Amino acid sequence: MELDEAKLKFIHAWGTLGTKWGINRTMAQVHALLLVATQSLSASNIMEELNISRGNANMNLRALIDWGLVMKELKPGDRKEYFYAEKDIWKMSKLILVQRKKKELEPIMVVLKDLNNAVEGDGEDVKTFNTTIKDLNDFALHADKVVEKVVQSDINWLLETFLKQFLKS
Amino acid sequence: MELDEAKLKFIHAWGTLGTKWGINRTMAQVHALLLVATQSLSASNIMEELNISRGNANMNLRALIDWGLVMKELKPGDRKEYFYAEKDIWKMSKLILVQRKKKELEPIMVVLKDLNNAVEGDGEDVKTFNTTIKDLNDFALHADKVVEKVVQSDINWLLETFLKQFLKS
DNA sequence: CAGTACTTTCAAAATATTCTGAAACATACT
DNA sequence: AGTATGTTTCAGAATATTTTGAAAGTACTG
């Protein structure tokens, strides 16, 4: 396969699949484009490459920068901004994990905490409700802790001690 | 707080938050309703409780059954179908994990496998591309294995041996 | 078989999300 | 200050997803 063909295929696929990850097609495509770029690209480069408007390019670049997945670079003697992606896949994954935790886990925890033991009484139905909320709450706390630890700690150490030990094919 | 108020709050919140988990509001609300129900409910009960149409109720119940989160029950002497949710939160989480893996991870793996080493040549740009794809591929394989093992194995054992050991607050 | 009680399907309507493009804004240079 | 070269914003347009509701389908009963 030719390099350009492969890159296009990758960018296109990443865009399609991005939607399943809760990020929009363009954001995923910009990310993909920068992931396989050998140099940093300007907003105009990206617009042209992906056939998108300036506004769209700008908004999604900002979002990617927000997530920490993309960085801005200024080249001396050039007023344009150039962009490049974090290429370390482990770092990238951690950054994505942090965002997903923020988006998917934290809002749920707020609600569960609020409902946990908020209903008093000892009818069967109250007990059932309280148990369900408590179970969900416990689970959310566990999940939160795992994510936090994975993000904080040395992922390689985690991998070596955990994966190699218990998850051997 | 009154039980009914708490239930409504939970159902409402679960619906809103469900969208962030890649499932639609109604599906999440039906799930929430069944999670906190003390008996199994008919389609009509659910329509009424959530103010949704018959078609919507039906489609989302099917989806929940597909995911394994909800089961159908037939009561003797009654032609209606009744529905109830899996209440074991660990089982529930595993079922959700399986679906998310299917939706989010597997399609990416197909693409990466296809692109892995598909480009030949030893230019700097080819090497960079191949490295990126390989890294992503390795990561996806790892993630896949982790999910698979978590789902297969006794989650409590995993928790006890791994979490309690290494992830203590 | 006809009637009843339910479930399923799916085209069209409603809703939500994303994208465009032009105007506003910012900054550096002459 | 004026001009050139960018970036950012956001209302409206385009697109995608979800929901409705009525018709079709299924299955049990007498």
Side-chain angles (χ1 to χ4, degrees):
Chain A
M1 203 186 298
E2 287 305 314
L3 179 59
D4 286 353
E5 184 194 348
K7 281 191 181 183
L8 280 177
K9 205 164 175 176
F10 174 67
I11 291 166
H12 184 265
W14 206 245
T16 306
L17 299 168
T19 46
K20 323 213 165 198
W21 276 72
I23 70 174
N24 73 49
R25 183 199 302 310
T26 305
M27 185 167 160
Q29 285 187 337
V30 172
H31 186 218
L33 176 61
L34 292 173
L35 262 184
V36 297
T38 41
Q39 316 142 303
S40 53
L41 304 175
S42 70
S44 304
N45 292 154
I46 292 166
M47 288 162 57
E48 199 174 318
E49 205 76 46
L50 301 179
N51 277 292
I52 58 173
S53 70
R54 183 168 294 282
N56 196 10
N58 184 265
M59 277 172 134
N60 284 297
L61 279 166
R62 293 314 129 191
L64 286 165
I65 289 171
D66 248 27
W67 282 42
L69 293 171
V70 164
M71 275 75 59
K72 193 190 286 195
E73 187 187 31
L74 292 169
K75 294 190 180 180
D78 191 337
R79 273 165 65 182
K80 278 201 279 298
E81 294 175 333
Y82 288 81
F83 303 91
Y84 64 98
E86 170 62 64
K87 298 226 180 178
D88 179 327
I89 303 301
W90 278 108
K91 281 192 197 164
M92 180 188 107
S93 308
K94 286 203 268 180
L95 290 168
I96 291 173
L97 247 194
V98 169
Q99 297 298 323
R100 300 197 87 181
K101 174 162 114 65
K102 198 180 290 178
K103 200 173 82 173
E104 301 183 359
L105 199 51
E106 287 171 12
I108 291 176
M109 293 177 76
V110 173
V111 175
L112 291 174
K113 196 178 167 196
D114 185 44
L115 290 174
N116 204 12
N117 282 310
V119 183
E120 280 166 48
D122 40 52
E124 199 55 47
D125 47 354
V126 171
K127 274 198 228 157
T128 305
F129 180 78
N130 282 335
T131 304
T132 301
I133 296 294
K134 186 184 181 308
D135 289 351
L136 286 169
N137 199 225
D138 287 352
F139 178 79
L141 288 171
H142 274 308
D144 188 70
K145 176 129 285 170
V146 172
V147 171
E148 205 176 292
K149 289 294 176 181
V150 167
V151 170
Q152 271 171 16
S153 70
D154 180 9
I155 192 84
N156 288 317
W157 173 84
L158 256 176
L159 252 194
E160 275 160 35
T161 54
F162 179 55
L163 293 184
K164 297 228 174 109
Q165 182 66 28
F166 300 119
L167 305 175
K168 282 233 164 71
S169 43
Chain B
M1 205 185 299
E2 287 305 313
L3 180 59
D4 286 353
E5 183 194 348
K7 281 191 180 183
L8 280 177
K9 205 164 176 177
F10 175 67
I11 291 166
H12 185 265
W14 207 245
T16 306
L17 299 168
T19 46
K20 324 216 166 197
W21 277 72
I23 71 174
N24 72 49
R25 181 197 308 305
T26 305
M27 184 168 161
Q29 285 187 337
V30 173
H31 186 218
L33 175 61
L34 292 173
L35 263 183
V36 297
T38 41
Q39 316 142 302
S40 52
L41 304 176
S42 70
S44 303
N45 291 156
I46 293 167
M47 287 163 56
E48 199 175 318
E49 205 74 48
L50 301 179
N51 277 291
I52 57 174
S53 69
R54 183 168 293 286
N56 196 10
N58 184 265
M59 278 173 135
N60 285 297
L61 279 166
R62 292 316 127 191
L64 286 165
I65 288 171
D66 249 28
W67 282 41
L69 292 171
V70 164
M71 275 77 59
K72 192 191 287 194
E73 187 187 31
L74 292 170
K75 295 191 178 177
D78 192 338
R79 274 163 69 180
K80 279 202 278 299
E81 294 176 334
Y82 287 81
F83 304 93
Y84 63 99
E86 171 60 63
K87 299 227 181 176
D88 178 328
I89 303 303
W90 279 107
K91 281 192 196 164
M92 180 189 108
S93 308
K94 285 203 267 180
L95 291 167
I96 292 174
L97 246 194
V98 169
Q99 297 298 324
R100 301 197 87 181
K101 173 161 115 66
K102 199 180 285 177
K103 199 172 85 174
E104 300 183 359
L105 199 52
E106 288 171 12
I108 291 177
M109 293 178 76
V110 172
V111 175
L112 291 173
K113 197 177 167 195
D114 185 44
L115 290 174
N116 204 12
N117 282 311
V119 183
E120 280 166 47
D122 40 50
E124 198 57 45
D125 49 354
V126 172
K127 272 197 231 160
T128 304
F129 179 78
N130 281 336
T131 303
T132 301
I133 297 294
K134 187 182 179 309
D135 289 350
L136 286 170
N137 199 224
D138 288 351
F139 178 79
L141 287 170
H142 274 308
D144 188 69
K145 176 130 286 169
V146 172
V147 172
E148 205 176 292
K149 290 293 177 180
V150 167
V151 170
Q152 271 171 17
S153 68
D154 180 8
I155 192 87
N156 287 316
W157 174 84
L158 254 175
L159 252 195
E160 276 160 33
T161 55
F162 177 58
L163 293 184
K164 298 230 173 105
Q165 182 65 30
F166 299 119
L167 304 177
K168 282 234 164 70
S169 44

